[in-house]
């Protein structure tokens, strides 16, 4: 979550800060994806879990800034990502590809949304 604070403190827009968090998450997960170090793998997954927990919490609160449909989508994504993350922590043979792919999809959405404004 230090990555989030660093990104936010660099005067980035919310969307840019979110995109930077997902870039860093992807890099972290990719760095341990094929390695054999279970401790590093679980640390990377723990970062994944914390980011999605923040997203889930943020979307659980009605602030009027995000459509209800979008908030529900992010809450469902967070739930699914966290469930898979728990399974991946318990089974070190489980691929991290679904976590990486989900993060990439969110990143693409953030980057596409940033160019449209």
């Amino acid at each position: 979550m230090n990555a989030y604070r660093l990104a936010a403190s660099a005067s980035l827009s919310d969307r840019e800060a979110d995109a930077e968090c997902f870039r860093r998450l992807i890099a972290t997960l990719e760095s341990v994806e094929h390695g054999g170090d279970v401790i590093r793998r679980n640390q990377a997954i723990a970062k994944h879990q914390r980011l999605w927990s923040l997203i889930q919490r943020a979307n659980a609160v009605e602030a009027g800034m995000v459509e209800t449909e979008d908030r529900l989508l992010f809450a469902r994504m967070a739930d699914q990502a966290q469930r898979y993350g728990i399974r991946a922590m318990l089974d070190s043979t489980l691929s991290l590809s679904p976590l990486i792919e989900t993060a990439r999809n969110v990143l693409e959405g953030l980057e596409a949304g940033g160019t449209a404004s």
Side-chain angles (χ1 to χ4, degrees):
M1 298 314 72
N2 288 333
Y4 187 82
R5 283 190 210 99
L6 282 173
S9 69
S11 298
L12 299 174
S13 73
D14 288 345
R15 183 175 289 276
E16 291 169 329
D18 291 345
E20 183 60 25
C21 287
F22 277 97
R23 277 187 213 98
R24 291 179 186 202
L25 175 63
I26 292 165
T28 299
L29 291 171
E30 286 177 338
S31 74
V32 298
E33 182 177 20
H34 300 292
D37 188 339
V38 176
I39 293 172
R40 283 190 63 229
R41 174 188 160 96
N42 285 345
Q43 289 171 338
I45 296 170
K47 287 180 183 181
H48 167 272
Q49 298 295 86
R50 284 192 301 271
L51 178 59
W52 279 108
S53 179
L54 288 171
I55 291 168
Q56 195 168 37
R57 240 180 287 142
N59 283 285
V61 177
E62 171 58 52
M65 297 175 62
V66 178
E67 296 290 327
T68 301
E69 185 177 316
D70 293 338
R71 288 179 38 240
L72 289 172
L73 172 66
F74 271 105
R76 273 193 300 271
M77 287 175 62
D79 180 57
Q80 291 173 354
Q82 289 178 306
R83 285 175 189 250
Y84 190 89
I86 291 168
R87 288 180 41 218
M89 283 181 135
L90 296 173
D91 180 357
S92 62
T93 64
L94 202 59
S95 172
L96 297 183
S97 294
L99 301 180
I100 294 167
E101 193 59 35
T102 300
R104 279 190 185 130
N105 289 337
V106 172
L107 177 59
E108 287 173 12
L110 289 167
E111 290 174 339
T115 58
S117 10

